[in-house]
Amino acid sequence: QVQLVESGGGLVQPGGSLRLSCVASGSIFSIYAMGWYRQAPGKQRELVATITTGGSTVYADSVKGRFTISRDNAKNTVYLQMNSLKPGDTAVYSCFAEITPRVLGVPTDYWGQGTQVTVSS
């Protein structure tokens, strides 16, 4: 069983910072892309950022210059550093990873449980 465990969400004031972490564990052969989506109530889920094993990154226009995605391949962990947070960043943030498990043997998308980020004064 492959599992993604997220941490770091919470409540912050506008202009504040949070760092989200997501650790992949289990019987893993390899991991390609890792990243984050977010979804606010009544809105469509949107891609926030992704990063490949080689370090290539993609960001949503709304977070460029404020958020930074990174990963530690040795720890199977992806991070999202969020600075200069705005009320519009309020959403449930979900971690994902494209993983080839040792048992299943084919690339599969896995998701974390989601963590709430609330930006409010």
Side-chain angles (χ1 to χ4, degrees):
Q1 177 69 29
V2 174
Q3 184 178 3
L4 303 183
V5 179
E6 301 161 326
S7 62
L11 173 65
V12 296
Q13 295 184 349
S17 298
L18 286 173
R19 188 173 79 154
L20 305 182
S21 300
C22 176
V23 181
S25 62
S27 184
I28 297 171
F29 179 76
S30 64
I31 302 177
Y32 179 57
M34 304 185 77
W36 300 87
Y37 277 82
R38 68 184 183 185
Q39 187 169 26
K43 297 183 179 180
Q44 187 175 359
R45 181 167 54 189
E46 67 171 335
L47 178 68
V48 178
T50 62
I51 184 168
T52 67
T53 301
S56 298
T57 58
V58 175
Y59 293 94
D61 289 340
S62 59
V63 307
K64 287 181 180 177
R66 300 187 298 119
F67 291 11
T68 302
I69 189 170
S70 61
R71 65 190 286 176
D72 186 333
N73 292 330
K75 297 180 179 179
N76 290 336
T77 301
V78 62
Y79 306 94
L80 185 67
Q81 178 66 47
M82 304 184 294
N83 299 325
S84 301
L85 283 162
K86 304 175 181 179
D89 297 318
T90 297
V92 174
Y93 286 70
S94 299
C95 171
F96 75 90
E98 185 179 25
I99 297 173
T100 299
R102 293 188 181 276
V103 176
L104 189 60
V106 296
T108 305
D109 288 339
Y110 292 87
W111 292 83
Q113 79 284 0
T115 185
Q116 178 71 44
V117 172
T118 302
V119 185
S120 177
S121 60

